[in-house]
Amino acid sequence: MISMANLSTKSENYKNANEEEISELRRGPWTIEEDTLLVRYIAGHGEGQWNILAKQAGLKRTGKSCRLRWLNYLKPDVKRGNLTLQEQLLILELHSKWGNRWSKIAQHLPGRTDNEIKNYWRTRVQKQLRQLKVEANSKRFLDAIHHLSMLEAMDQSSNFSLNFPPPSALQNTTSPNSFETAIHPFNDHGGGAPLRAPCSASQWPDISQPPPSSYGEFGEAWRLNMVEMQKQKQEPVCSLGAWEIEDCDVPMAAPDWLMEDSMVENLWSLEDQNLI
DNA sequence: AAAGGACACAACCGCACGGGG
DNA sequence: CCCCCGTGCGGTTGTGTCCTT
């Protein structure tokens, strides 16, 4: 066990050891020249011993800074670009297990860094959770993730359509606000494409027309909801394109948690637009 | 067109830990 | 046992870009 006194001493020592060099050290964004120096040095000598590496490579950076730059940006197997849907689901799932253990979570996402995952969580997920007033890792949240993971896996393996639930499913529910189910995004767009995020405004269904009678009591409620969203300039979360219930290949009843509120649509809005 | 706010991401900081001398 | 050093982790900050007014 390390005492507090010992800790502070260690910190002080660390500080003092570097103090005289701090004035010459560069900080902030890396230049192309610095990147080149670092990459070339590591190509020739390998990584590790970062303080020595920084000096020998001629970099006016701390070892820590070099390590971070290499691991988070320059390393060849670092994956660039937006997180895929599968990766996002995995992050949600793993975070529910391990909390903010970013490096542990990153181990399960090849090519993704802990920093990237941490940023994703803080900038996207937390924002959505705040808006929804949902606790991360609450039962509702976890249930939503599990259902989404399952549906996503089914969608990938069987190529069936996860379209808008048929009116029969809606009519069987006892939920008081079931119309919200109608705006959940279970909506396959063919070709085995992954489930998708919010559609563009051009994909609004024609909500000036009444929905088909087969939508039952929920159709009109859903339409009014969409009208309200349009008034508020919100995007619908799925694209029906029209009142196309006939395209539902699988009579899939919406689970109870979908009936509760619009949690899922917001979860989906976490997804980047790159899948569209 | 300009200002300023929001957002995403890169980078930094402090702390913790383990190994070697 | 203590100290030093290297490394890793999680939280925070800085900055560039995009969007809105």
Side-chain angles (χ1 to χ4, degrees):
Chain A
M1 192 71 182
I2 299 169
S3 71
M4 292 305 287
N6 188 22
L7 280 180
S8 62
T9 307
K10 284 173 96 174
S11 278
E12 285 304 311
N13 288 340
Y14 182 74
K15 219 180 276 182
N16 292 338
N18 290 294
E19 230 161 41
E20 56 195 63
E21 296 172 21
I22 281 172
S23 58
E24 326 176 355
L25 288 176
R26 271 184 52 76
R27 294 175 58 187
W30 281 63
T31 64
I32 295 171
E33 289 75 22
E34 288 176 310
D35 282 348
T36 308
L37 278 175
L38 183 56
V39 169
R40 281 190 183 157
Y41 186 89
I42 290 175
H45 301 83
E47 51 182 289
Q49 303 278 302
W50 294 102
N51 284 329
I52 296 166
L53 180 154
K55 279 179 190 155
Q56 293 192 348
L59 287 159
K60 290 184 165 55
R61 297 274 183 174
T62 64
K64 284 177 98 173
S65 181
C66 294
R67 175 181 163 271
L68 216 59
R69 182 65 178 171
W70 174 253
L71 292 177
N72 286 344
Y73 199 85
L74 297 173
K75 203 173 179 180
D77 53 8
V78 171
K79 217 188 274 180
R80 315 301 308 170
N82 294 328
L83 293 162
T84 66
L85 174 58
Q86 287 81 5
E87 287 172 325
Q88 291 174 69
L89 280 173
L90 193 54
I91 290 170
L92 296 175
E93 182 111 27
L94 294 179
H95 188 274
S96 73
K97 277 189 200 166
W98 299 324
N100 296 357
R101 304 281 303 277
W102 306 117
S103 59
K104 192 168 181 179
I105 294 171
Q107 286 170 9
H108 290 74
L109 288 107
R112 301 298 185 181
T113 67
D114 54 352
N115 210 32
E116 188 176 11
I117 294 166
K118 181 171 57 182
N119 281 331
Y120 166 73
W121 184 268
R122 296 185 66 82
T123 57
R124 318 274 188 90
V125 181
Q126 281 195 335
K127 188 180 74 178
Q128 289 294 330
L129 292 177
R130 269 198 305 273
Q131 284 176 6
L132 283 164
K133 297 191 172 105
V134 171
E135 289 282 321
N137 304 336
S138 65
K139 186 174 184 310
R140 280 171 67 206
F141 180 73
L142 298 181
D143 283 351
I145 293 167
H146 291 148
H147 279 91
L148 285 171
S149 298
M150 193 174 68
L151 289 166
E152 199 274 339
M154 288 164 69
D155 183 53
Q156 288 226 323
S157 63
S158 65
N159 200 32
F160 68 63
S161 169
L162 287 173
N163 276 334
F164 180 68
S168 58
L170 297 179
Q171 285 163 357
N172 287 338
T173 181
T174 55
S175 170
N177 58 345
S178 302
F179 74 90
E180 288 188 339
T181 310
I183 57 172
H184 86 72
F186 292 159
N187 188 19
D188 188 26
H189 292 261
L195 296 169
R196 45 177 292 167
C199 59
S200 68
S202 63
Q203 292 169 306
W204 285 84
D206 183 8
I207 55 175
S208 64
Q209 300 298 317
S213 59
S214 52
Y215 273 78
E217 59 185 300
F218 304 103
E220 181 59 12
W222 184 84
R223 189 185 73 79
L224 291 174
N225 187 52
M226 295 293 277
V227 169
E228 195 55 37
M229 284 172 73
Q230 265 196 346
K231 275 187 197 163
Q232 294 171 15
K233 288 190 173 178
Q234 292 175 15
E235 296 255 320
V237 177
C238 66
S239 67
L240 294 177
W243 302 101
E244 290 173 347
I245 61 161
E246 290 78 12
D247 288 340
C248 294
D249 299 343
V250 178
M252 220 178 77
D256 290 344
W257 59 273
L258 278 177
M259 303 304 179
E260 287 175 8
D261 53 29
S262 58
M263 181 167 182
V264 173
E265 75 194 60
N266 283 282
L267 273 176
W268 280 96
S269 75
L270 301 174
E271 183 185 354
D272 288 320
Q273 300 295 316
N274 64 318
L275 291 168
I276 297 172

